[in-house]
Amino acid sequence: MAAGKEIKSQIGSIKNTQKITSAMEMVAASKMRRAQDRMAASQPYAGRIRRVVSHVSRANPEYRHDYQIEREVKRIGYIVVTSDRGLCGGLNSNLLRRVLREVREWRDQGVEVSFCALGTKGSVFFRKYGGDLKAAVRSLGDAPEASQLIGSINVMLAAFDEGELDRIDLVYNEFVNTMTQKPVVHQLLPLPKSLDEEDEAEDAEQDDVSSGGWDYIYEPDVKTLLDKLLVRYVEAQVYQAVVENIASEQAARMIAMKNASDNAGDIIDDLQLQYNKARQAAITQEISEIVGGAAAV
Amino acid sequence: MATMQCSIVSAERNIFAGEVERVVAVSVMGELGILRGHEPSLLELKPGPVRVIREGGEEEIFYVSGGFLEVQPHEVSVLADSAERARDLDAGEAEKARDEARSALAGRSGELDHQHALAEIEAATARLRTLSQLRNRKGQK
């Protein structure tokens, strides 16, 4: 009964795989909860600063910061946030495919492209893909600190300041809910005209911010202040994106591992059925041989 | 008295949100109080206390280690680098931090360290100032 034995050992090995995937599923579930907490914790700051910056962009100052001025795009920089590890379904490949689609569109218009990869998967990908990789951070970990990102952000901002980059976009996976994560592309710099439509609607009701023709009182002076505020804004947005991407990663991994465990279960059931059939066939054959032998005697 | 929305957020979490009568903060140009209907302003904050006076005169003190303050006629947002409720502050810790920064200054090696130590002293002193304000207020009651 050689077939029976083979099937038995195959079942054993799939059971082991299933144990691993279901353990990974549980780990991902608990990490996802923590990542969601972190996402919720840093959300107020990112939201607030976006609101303030959108007010600033609707104010009417004599001075406009470089980050607020649209210029002709000759080279665009992408800050691409990916996960450190794989086994999280199509999360990274969907995101990178989205990036490449954008890149093709820009190249068709004769615009060159640079990248900044946050997360191991992205840095590995862009090393193979080629292109101008300006900065990369590997091994962000589960709880990245803003200080890990500042170096790369500064490289991109410096390139923007020097006029090498004319626009910076941020790409990451938006955490819609546990089942859905969506790659999104946001324009970071120059500051888009409307940052937050919901917010603008709210302000329009109160109608004192939306109407132009007013300006802030700045302390110390408008230049120093906007310099600091806008750099902080970019850092906050990138940090938020990284934290959100980690929550997405864990959710995607949880779902991927749940599917893997379920599939392993299905395969085990099939193999078990095959095994039982083979065993039954062997027994039936043995009995008929015995019966045949007894009849011959 | 008319109230306005006030929210204090730090990079780590939401610190405070609610209706307030008055906000008193220390900007790089000096201390200022904000009431409803203030001109729109954008200020850089120095390390120090931010006092929030709620409706009815109840007061809360927060410590911020620098950041920005935005004023719109109907709302005030404080974007703090890091913020703490003053009653969570520890006087012993703050004094130790200040002493450490001072001794680092005494044995300084380079300009960068010097700047850093000065900033730390300022932050620690601001913490202590926040605490002494809090203590005075308790003494009065």
Side-chain angles (χ1 to χ4, degrees), chain B residues 48-75:
Chain B
V50 171
R51 286 191 291 144
V52 166
I53 292 96
R54 286 192 197 242
E55 217 172 348
E58 194 196 328
E59 183 170 321
E60 280 202 70
I61 302 183
F62 301 90
Y63 167 76
V64 301
S65 66
F68 303 97
L69 179 96
E70 191 222 18
V71 185
Q72 289 288 349
H74 52 89
E75 67 171 351

Side-chain angles (χ1 to χ4, degrees), chain A residues 215-248:
Chain A
D215 192 13
Y216 283 112
I217 300 169
Y218 298 91
E219 270 182 44
D221 58 294
V222 56
K223 190 170 177 335
T224 334
L225 196 78
L226 284 189
D227 265 344
K228 286 188 183 171
L229 181 72
L230 294 180
V231 169
R232 188 60 52 83
Y233 164 77
V234 170
E235 285 168 8
Q237 298 309 312
V238 175
Y239 180 74
Q240 182 65 23
V242 168
V243 175
E244 188 157 347
N245 195 65
I246 288 174
S248 300

